[in-house]
Amino acid sequence: MTTTAHTLEADGVRLYYEVRGEGPVLMVMGSPMAAADFGPLAEAMAGEYTVVTHDPRGISGSVLADPEQDSTPELRAGDVVALLDAIGAETADVFGSSGGAVTGLALATLYPDRVRTLVAHEPPVLELLPDADEQRVMVDGIVETYRQEGAMAAWQAFIEAFGSGGDDEEAPEEFPEKLLENSRRFFLHELRTTSGYVPDVAALRAGPARIVVGIGAESRPLMTYDTSTALSARLDVEPVEFPGEHVGFVDKTKEFAEVLRRVLRERVA
């Protein structure tokens, strides 16, 4: 499947994005995960969809005019709208995972007429948890760990706090330069704003977009399992189980894509 790479000048950022396939538009996104991380899933979906992936603002190939600007779900939602305008799409189905799912929630709230179906896969919306005050302190501690000890220690603290799909998962001992840059963006300018986002449940329930909450079949040890079930309860929808855990779209791409196709077809049926 041919992939074309593009850049777009948006609100204070030059966005890098990729387009592959043909058919209805499907936005596939993460945050801070970049377009490359979703390449296998995009390839798997490109037989039926025009799949658009991108690097979130300040991550990898998407360069900010102000490198110290925080990355908020609302700003990232505006970037998605700019991408839709660039490819001439009035609406799109949207798959967002983790921070990308939070972006999707902001998108469906602020720009409801641009979203057909949003599949929000494991959004880390910590404010919906009963111990949200403690979770804010935990996030602040991770950010401070980054400031004091650097990326490796911060990622280890992040894994310990949010849980992992394996018993022995650890932060890598060495980071390539680009990952170090992305880590700085994440810990200093994104983690707080993403985890602190409060979904507008009333607007989501009243809006035209169909909202699907996805949870990994192996994600029960993860905090994102709790946030996803909390969001499902607020929206009064049953969560949809996807293969694998938080990054099941990487580990079990074929099976994951099959479930995503089924979920998106349900709107048409």
Side-chain angles (χ1 to χ4, degrees):
M1 189 69 63
T2 301
T3 301
T4 58
H6 310 265
T7 58
L8 171 68
E9 297 294 333
D11 182 15
V13 62
R14 185 176 71 247
L15 292 170
Y16 171 84
Y17 68 102
E18 297 176 353
V19 182
R20 46 168 68 78
E22 57 184 28
V25 174
L26 171 62
M27 302 290 301
V28 173
M29 59 193 186
S31 194
M33 294 183 82
D37 299 304
F38 293 94
L41 179 61
E43 287 289 329
M45 300 298 294
E48 298 178 45
Y49 295 89
T50 298
V51 184
V52 182
T53 57
H54 71 286
D55 294 348
R57 56 174 45 228
I59 297 295
S60 295
S62 289
V63 181
L64 286 168
D66 176 9
E68 299 306 312
Q69 181 190 53
D70 286 343
S71 175
T72 67
E74 294 85 356
L75 281 172
R76 299 196 303 266
D79 293 341
V80 175
V81 170
L83 292 172
L84 291 176
D85 290 344
I87 64 172
E90 288 295 322
T91 62
D93 291 319
V94 178
F95 171 80
S97 186
S98 195
V102 181
T103 304
L105 294 170
L107 177 69
T109 300
L110 296 173
Y111 308 95
D113 294 332
R114 307 303 296 268
V115 182
R116 296 188 297 265
T117 293
L118 165 65
V119 181
H121 180 254
E122 301 205 1
V125 280
L126 301 183
E127 292 296 318
L128 299 188
L129 298 180
D131 60 347
D133 290 346
E134 296 176 18
Q135 300 301 335
R136 274 182 238 116
V137 172
M138 175 271 294
V139 168
D140 287 343
I142 293 173
V143 174
E144 187 59 25
T145 296
Y146 176 82
R147 292 185 186 277
Q148 297 296 326
E149 303 179 46
M152 287 181 281
W155 279 116
Q156 191 61 51
F158 180 88
I159 290 169
E160 291 172 359
F162 281 81
S164 69
D167 294 332
D168 57 354
E169 185 170 345
E170 296 182 354
E173 294 184 2
E174 295 184 8
F175 287 84
E177 185 63 29
K178 181 53 68 175
L179 183 53
L180 283 173
E181 294 173 7
N182 289 346
S183 296
R184 181 181 187 279
R185 284 291 311 166
F186 177 63
F187 288 117
L188 297 186
H189 297 289
E190 185 173 330
L191 177 56
R192 282 193 180 105
T193 58
T194 297
S195 64
Y197 179 77
V198 181
D200 188 335
V201 172
L204 292 169
R205 293 185 65 167
R210 171 175 168 245
I211 310 296
V212 176
V213 179
I215 301 180
E218 302 170 22
S219 288
R220 190 172 289 275
L222 309 182
M223 192 180 297
T224 48
Y225 183 94
D226 298 330
T227 57
S228 299
T229 54
L231 178 62
S232 297
R234 300 286 183 92
L235 293 172
D236 195 23
V237 298
E238 285 294 321
V240 174
E241 187 174 275
F242 281 78
E245 42 93 30
H246 195 57
V247 290
F249 52 89
V250 174
D251 301 330
K252 300 184 177 182
T253 305
K254 180 179 178 181
E255 299 90 338
F256 198 101
E258 289 172 357
V259 176
L260 181 56
R261 284 192 205 94
R262 173 175 60 79
V263 169
L264 295 177
R265 286 170 182 159
E266 286 172 357
R267 178 181 176 89
V268 180

